Every structure is written in C-alpha cells, then in structure tokens.
C-alpha cells in the first residue's frame, strides 16, 4: 500500500466538488424562483395560494432530503468506531475478521465496498451519487430514495401548473379575445410583455418535463431493485456476470459455426454452408443449426444430470 496520505471524505459537502453537484444546487432554487415570479402571478388568487403551497412544500422537502443524504456519512460502522477510538467486543472482533480492507487498513462489514472517490469503505454500498457528491449506502439509502420520490412529486406538481397556465393563456386566441391568464401576463409587474412571460414558463416546463422523465426512470429502477432485494452495485455485478456468460456462449457458437462452415466447404456442401451462414444472422436463430445442436446438447446434459441425481 502507498505511503501517500489519502484525503478521506466524510460527506458530500467536502471537497472536491463536481459540476453535477453544483448544478443541482443551482437548478432547484432556480425552479422555485421561476415558479414564484413567473408562474404563480399568472394564476387566479384562489389557485395561486394552494398551488404555490404544494409546489414549495415538495421543493423544500426535496432540498431537505437531499441535504440530509449529502451530509450523512455512510462509512462502514467499524471504520467509524475505529475513528472514534472505541473498543470492540469479542463478538464484534470475531465478526470483523471476515473482511479486511487494505485501503482503509481496517476490518469492515461483509457487505462493505471501498469507494475510490470517497476513499473509504461504505456499508451496504449502493453507488456513488455524483449529483449529491456522496456515496449511497445502508445509512443514507432511504434518504436518497425519499429524495427521488419528493423530487418526482415536485416536478410533477410544477409541470402540471405550468401546463395549465400555458393552455389557459392561449384560450380565446381563435376568437381574438384576451384570456384572463393572458391579461395577468400583460399586467405582470407592469412590464406588458406577455409573450416573454409565457415563453419563460414554456422554457422551464421543457426543463421540468425532461428532468421528470429522467428522475422517473431512476425512481422505477430503484423500485425494481428494492423489489428484488438488490443494491445498484449488486445489480451491476450481476449484469456484468450475465453479459460475460452470454459473451462466452456467443464465442462458443461463433467458433463452432466457423468449424462447421470450414467442414462444409471441404465437403462441397453449399446448402449446409448457406444454412450455417444465414443462421448466424440476427433474427434467424430459429433456423440456426448450431443453436439447435447446442440446445439439444444442453437438454441431454440436463437429463443425464437428473438421472445421476436420482441414483443417489
């Protein structure tokens, strides 16, 4: 291990920062300010107050959950005890012997993973979130998930209000009439620039919808992981293993195909060669003699294994 001292980060508010984290803390207040100055004034008073309360509630809740996630130290509990100079019980010492991290120079929990960005082991490691500049693990995963939910509700509520404003703004244009929303846009701070006001709302609606689409995908992804009892890290490891097996299987198919094509060429069997070539095309697996041959071998191996198990 290198003797160079490594800067261990305790939470996401410690340097180094990154542009994604900075962008997050700029965008959220910007969305709230846009709603306060450009959306809320275009609503009738009876709708402005409740809509503003809902949007600002979810916006502030999102900021609170995000800050809590960012400042929570997800480090392995054994590392924290070591940092505090606490003494371990015999039971804890026995448990610790199961894993040792050479980077942290300490025993850690079995489910800990070392993060090379934070330079420490994270208990129940899920992933390193660049938007919050902090690792997500057992100690702050629920806060992270709550942040996704509240952010989703914030974007949905703000988008719904902006859509209503934009639709109401253009009501009556066919008849050459001025809608009440358009009139409020004309009167906005006495600027008499309704197109600029509605254009800004339309621009921020686009930002909201794009953000909502991305956050919704992330939320559904984590809902799926929670249902399967997996972390993001475990999912990636499992996916990589599956892809590795598929790649190995495909190499075996390609090698066998090349061998059979060579054999067909030597025998002058053009029909067999054509079947082998066409069977390798995408979408033609159902007529591929190589895949059929491998499938039959796999089924025979399963039958042989079942017979062997029945004899025991």
């Amino acid at each position: 291990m290198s003797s160079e001292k490594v800067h261990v980060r305790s939470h996401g508010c410690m340097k180094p920062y990154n542009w994604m984290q900075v962008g997050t803390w700029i965008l959220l207040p910007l969305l709230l300010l846009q709603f306060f100055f450009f959306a809320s004034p275009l609503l009738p008073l009876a709708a402005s107050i409740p809509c503003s309360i809902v949007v600002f509630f979810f916006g502030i809740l999102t900021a609170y959950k995000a800050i809590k996630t960012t400042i929570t130290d997800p480090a392995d509990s054994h590392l924290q005890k070591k940092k505090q100079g606490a003494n371990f019980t015999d039971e804890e010492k026995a448990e610790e012997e199961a894993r040792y991290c050479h980077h942290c120079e300490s025993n850690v929990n079995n489910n800990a993973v070392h993060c090379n960005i934070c330079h420490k082991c994270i208990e129940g490691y899920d992933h390193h979130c660049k938007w919050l500049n902090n690792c997500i693990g057992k100690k702050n995963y629920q806060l992270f998930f709550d942040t996704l939910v509240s952010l989703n509700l914030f974007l949905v509520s703000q988008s719904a209000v902006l859509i209503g404003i934009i639709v109401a703004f253009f009501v009556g244009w066919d008849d050459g009439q001025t809608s009440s929303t358009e009139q409020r846009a004309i009167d906005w701070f006495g600027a008499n620039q309704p197109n600029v006001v509605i254009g800004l709302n339309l621009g921020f609606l686009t930002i909201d919808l794009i953000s909502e689409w991305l956050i919704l995908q992330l939320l559904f992804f984590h809902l799926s992981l929670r249902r399967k009892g997996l972390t993001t890290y475990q999912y990636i490891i499992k996916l990589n293993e599956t892809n590795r097996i598929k790649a190995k299987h495909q190499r075996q198919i390609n090698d066998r195909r090349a061998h059979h094509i060579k054999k067909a060429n030597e025998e002058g069997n053009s029909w067999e060669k054509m079947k082998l070539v066409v069977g390798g095309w995408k979408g033609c697996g159902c007529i591929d003699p190589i895949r059929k041959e491998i499938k039959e071998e796999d089924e025979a191996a399963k039958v042989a294994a079942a017979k062997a198990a029945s004899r025991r």
Side-chain angles (χ1 to χ4, degrees):
M1 181 173 174
S2 174
S3 59
E4 182 182 350
K5 188 175 180 180
V6 176
H7 175 62
V8 179
R9 301 175 67 251
S10 296
H11 50 73
C13 292
M14 294 181 66
K15 294 179 181 180
Y17 307 119
N18 65 73
W19 69 268
M20 297 172 73
Q21 178 190 25
V22 174
T24 299
W25 296 118
I26 292 175
L27 183 59
L28 183 57
L30 191 62
L31 291 174
L32 288 171
L33 288 172
Q34 180 274 331
F35 187 88
F36 182 78
F37 286 107
F38 293 95
S40 184
L42 303 191
L43 294 169
L45 187 61
S48 178
I49 294 175
C51 286
S52 297
I53 290 174
V54 170
V55 170
F56 273 82
F57 170 77
F58 287 127
I60 293 171
L61 181 63
T62 299
Y64 171 75
K65 292 291 185 179
I67 291 170
K68 287 284 288 182
T69 308
T70 303
I71 64 175
T72 299
D73 185 359
D76 185 87
S77 57
H78 295 322
L79 289 180
Q80 292 183 336
K81 285 183 178 181
K82 180 183 177 182
K83 184 178 178 181
Q84 296 165 2
N87 294 321
F88 298 110
T89 64
D90 292 339
E91 183 179 346
E92 288 173 327
K93 286 180 180 178
E95 179 186 350
E96 288 178 316
E97 290 172 3
R99 283 285 308 280
Y100 182 84
C101 177
H102 293 277
H103 297 285
C104 297
E105 297 182 334
S106 173
N107 294 313
V108 294
N109 283 289
N110 286 324
N111 65 347
V113 176
H114 189 86
C115 174
N116 290 323
I117 299 176
C118 294
H119 301 294
K120 62 185 178 184
C121 281
I122 310 299
E123 187 174 350
Y125 180 80
D126 189 85
H127 70 287
H128 182 90
C129 179
K130 292 186 177 180
W131 296 102
L132 300 177
N133 200 27
N134 196 18
C135 274
I136 307 302
K138 178 182 177 181
K139 295 176 183 176
N140 62 352
Y141 179 81
Q142 187 58 51
L143 286 168
F144 169 77
F145 185 80
D146 293 345
T147 303
L148 290 182
V149 173
S150 56
L151 178 57
N152 181 67
L153 293 172
F154 166 67
L155 292 171
V156 166
S157 58
Q158 182 164 1
S159 299
V161 174
L162 291 179
I163 290 171
I165 288 173
I166 292 168
V167 170
F169 179 85
F170 292 105
V171 170
W173 270 39
D174 291 341
D175 301 329
Q177 299 177 356
T178 301
S179 66
S180 58
T181 301
E182 185 179 1
Q183 186 60 52
R184 283 189 288 272
I186 295 171
D187 298 338
W188 181 83
F189 292 111
N192 194 25
Q193 295 292 332
N195 292 335
V196 173
V197 175
I198 204 66
L200 283 169
N201 281 314
L202 187 58
F204 274 92
L205 173 62
T206 303
I207 294 173
D208 281 344
L209 291 177
I210 293 173
S211 301
E212 170 63 16
W213 172 245
L214 297 173
I215 295 299
L216 198 59
Q217 290 184 76
L218 185 59
L219 180 60
F220 278 124
F221 173 69
H222 278 277
L223 283 170
S224 174
L225 291 180
R226 288 163 71 97
R227 188 176 66 252
K228 296 174 182 177
L230 295 173
T231 64
T232 302
Y233 178 77
Q234 290 169 339
Y235 169 80
I236 292 173
I237 294 297
K238 189 175 181 180
L239 182 63
N240 288 341
E241 178 64 18
T242 301
N243 290 337
R244 188 188 66 79
I245 293 172
K246 285 182 178 178
K248 181 180 178 181
H249 183 66
Q250 188 60 47
R251 283 196 301 271
Q252 291 174 342
I253 291 175
N254 293 340
D255 291 344
R256 186 174 297 194
R257 188 184 310 282
H259 173 74
H260 280 62
I261 290 176
K262 181 180 179 181
K263 184 178 179 182
N265 280 330
E266 292 172 350
E267 295 174 353
N269 192 338
S270 300
W271 173 247
E272 183 66 20
K273 178 183 176 181
M274 186 187 72
K275 286 195 299 179
L276 289 165
V277 172
V278 173
W281 294 351
K282 190 174 182 179
C284 298
C286 57
I287 61 171
D288 186 10
I290 299 298
R291 294 182 187 275
K292 182 180 178 181
E293 181 180 296
I294 291 175
K295 184 179 179 181
E296 290 173 351
E297 290 175 359
D298 290 342
E299 290 176 351
K302 288 179 182 178
V303 170
K307 287 182 178 178
S310 64
R311 295 194 195 102
R312 295 174 185 172

